[in-house]
Amino acid sequence: MSEETSDPEHEVGGQLDYSPVSWREYFDQMEDVSVGPADSRDVFRIYKAGSDGPLLVLLHGGGHSALSWAVFTTAIASRVTCRVLAMDLRGHGASLVNQSDDFTTQTMSCDVANVIRACYSETPPPIVLIGHGVGGAIAVHAASNMLIPCTVGLVAIDVVEGSAMEALHSIQKFLRERPKSFKSMDHAIEWSVKSGQIRNLESARVSMVGQIKRCEAEVSGAVEQAGPVTDEVVQPTEEFSDQSFVNDRDHTASGGSLGGEQSEYRWRIDLSKSEKYWDGWFRGTSNLFLTCNLPKLLLLAGIDRLDRDLTIGQMQGQFMMQVLPPCGHAVQEDKPDKVANAVAAFLLRHKFAEARRETRSSTSDTLRSEDQK
């Protein structure tokens, strides 16, 4: 378990507090944005913060939601003057779309462009696309295809074509082994931290709400909406086999009893049904990232993530890069302050944003440190 999980700030009566936290603690407002033709509107859930400076469009990873950016949003807003728009991608969180089985790169990228257009008409502020995992791939495609004309910068977090392609064969195994349902939201949050999916309790308490939904036992067996691929296999930080977190219904496949009818919490999307899209997300992403004619930043959970093309590009100075160990794949959740420091330094270096007065000295130190690397 990470240091964040034992923070006294998140303890109640000497025990860690796994209760959910509202999005209101981190964002200014929540909206449901409708896009598309009047007779077939798609609705995307978005969260906003800030009113000045560049617009940071935050795109979450596979299986997560916009709430995975909650703690990061507070952290970046304390460092630079900026606006944030975090959206639930199609099939994720609270977004509702008509063609729920269409997760092509083109469709997902156009979703982002359509939401921005709906929110800011034809005159949005300067935009920096920031994506994690699958969201990073979407950001790269949207920037490369110039779908959002006001885009001035691109940040990709732990999305590398080589390592992602190697991990695809293990994703189904990970999905089969994780719990299918939980007895409560608190149990889901505790599982996410102890299994290593999210290594920061503060973030888990707000972001798991976007991954899990409450449903009645008698209808929970219905076919669920398919969603895009998970980004990488989660490596647990400790052995986790406590079945008290899991509903008895999880064991019906091996001959267990259904038990009585009850409420349970299940994943909002069935990621295993989207396997045919997995390869298309990442193939060619490294080359697109390198050839995108924008200031770029690549943040990684480990140096081993780099593939050959990105290694050469980084040596040639084609983009800024920073490795942020030790953390898991959910980089912006595990280490929100470190990610915020890196993003703030990127924004200031390219004069996209202004530093908050109280953080100017520390941000300057970060910039000097980057210059020495």
Side-chain angles (χ1 to χ4, degrees):
M1 196 181 301
S2 66
E3 292 179 0
E4 286 91 338
T5 62
S6 58
D7 190 339
E9 181 180 344
H10 304 299
E11 292 185 7
V12 176
Q15 299 294 320
L16 291 175
D17 184 2
Y18 295 107
S19 61
V21 175
S22 170
W23 62 268
R24 293 179 178 85
E25 298 293 322
Y26 303 93
F27 298 100
D28 296 337
Q29 60 185 114
M30 176 186 73
E31 297 179 23
D32 287 327
V33 178
S34 298
V35 302
D39 59 343
S40 59
R41 308 283 274 178
D42 290 334
V43 180
F44 294 91
R45 173 68 55 85
I46 68 169
Y47 301 85
K48 290 182 176 181
S51 57
D52 297 300
L55 176 66
L56 310 185
V57 176
L58 309 180
L59 307 177
H60 61 80
H64 293 258
S65 78
L67 295 177
S68 69
W69 298 100
V71 182
F72 166 82
T73 293
T74 298
I76 192 65
S78 70
R79 288 161 171 78
V80 297
T81 300
C82 64
R83 285 170 272 196
V84 161
L85 186 156
M87 65 177 284
D88 287 346
L89 301 176
R90 64 170 47 218
H92 290 74
S95 290
L96 297 173
V97 298
N98 290 288
Q99 295 181 328
S100 59
D101 59 345
D102 180 5
F103 296 104
T104 61
T105 298
Q106 180 179 4
T107 297
M108 300 283 278
S109 301
C110 287
D111 287 342
V112 179
N114 290 336
V115 167
I116 293 173
R117 191 175 300 111
C119 291
Y120 298 95
S121 192
E122 300 300 325
T123 56
I127 289 172
V128 177
L129 292 174
I130 303 179
H132 165 244
V134 170
I138 295 171
V140 169
H141 282 278
S144 298
N145 293 318
M146 295 181 289
L147 297 179
I148 307 167
C150 289
T151 302
V152 296
L154 173 63
V155 180
I157 302 178
D158 217 36
V159 52
V160 173
E161 177 183 351
S163 59
M165 298 300 292
E166 292 175 2
L168 292 183
H169 70 280
S170 302
I171 292 177
Q172 288 286 13
K173 179 176 183 292
F174 162 67
L175 294 176
R176 286 194 301 270
E177 292 179 350
R178 73 178 183 177
K180 299 298 186 296
S181 65
F182 301 90
K183 294 179 178 179
S184 68
M185 183 64 72
D186 293 40
H187 283 126
I189 292 169
E190 185 170 356
W191 172 85
S192 73
V193 173
K194 290 189 173 181
S195 68
Q197 175 175 298
I198 302 173
R199 304 182 184 185
N200 181 332
L201 176 54
E202 180 185 5
S203 187
R205 293 177 66 192
V206 60
S207 70
M208 279 301 288
V209 176
Q211 293 190 58
I212 299 294
K213 62 183 178 181
R214 182 177 181 177
C215 55
E216 297 304 317
E218 64 266 25
V219 299
S220 62
V223 176
E224 295 184 42
Q225 183 180 14
V229 62
T230 53
D231 306 309
E232 273 185 34
V233 176
V234 175
Q235 297 297 329
T237 55
E238 61 180 74
E239 184 176 357
F240 185 81
S241 58
D242 185 354
Q243 294 302 316
S244 66
F245 293 78
V246 183
N247 249 304
D248 290 339
R249 290 176 56 81
D250 287 353
H251 306 294
T252 57
S254 58
S257 171
L258 281 176
E261 294 183 356
Q262 58 182 340
S263 295
E264 61 183 7
Y265 289 79
R266 301 178 67 87
W267 302 102
R268 289 179 178 269
I269 58 178
D270 186 349
L271 297 171
S272 65
K273 295 180 180 179
S274 62
E275 186 171 7
K276 65 180 181 180
Y277 297 99
W278 295 359
D279 183 270
W281 273 114
F282 302 106
R283 190 172 298 280
T285 302
S286 291
N287 185 59
L288 285 177
F289 179 79
L290 290 171
T291 57
C292 181
N293 191 27
L294 291 172
K296 301 180 288 285
L297 170 65
L298 178 63
L299 297 179
L300 299 176
I303 193 66
D304 59 314
R305 303 288 210 271
L306 276 181
D307 57 25
R308 181 177 180 275
D309 290 342
L310 289 177
T311 298
I312 295 173
Q314 196 273 333
M315 293 175 65
Q316 295 174 342
Q318 295 184 38
F319 58 90
M320 293 175 61
M321 187 187 81
Q322 189 168 341
V323 181
L324 300 171
C327 61
H329 175 54
V331 183
Q332 78 278 9
E333 297 205 53
D334 293 351
K335 299 293 181 181
D337 287 327
K338 288 186 177 181
V339 173
N341 285 339
V343 172
F346 174 74
L347 296 174
L348 294 172
R349 177 185 296 276
H350 295 286
K351 297 180 170 58
F352 295 147
E354 295 184 0
R356 296 285 186 187
R357 180 176 303 175
E358 60 273 20
T359 60
R360 283 177 183 169
S361 59
S362 61
T363 305
S364 297
D365 291 341
T366 300
L367 281 170
R368 284 195 293 271
S369 175
E370 287 300 308
D371 287 336
Q372 294 169 3
K373 292 183 178 179

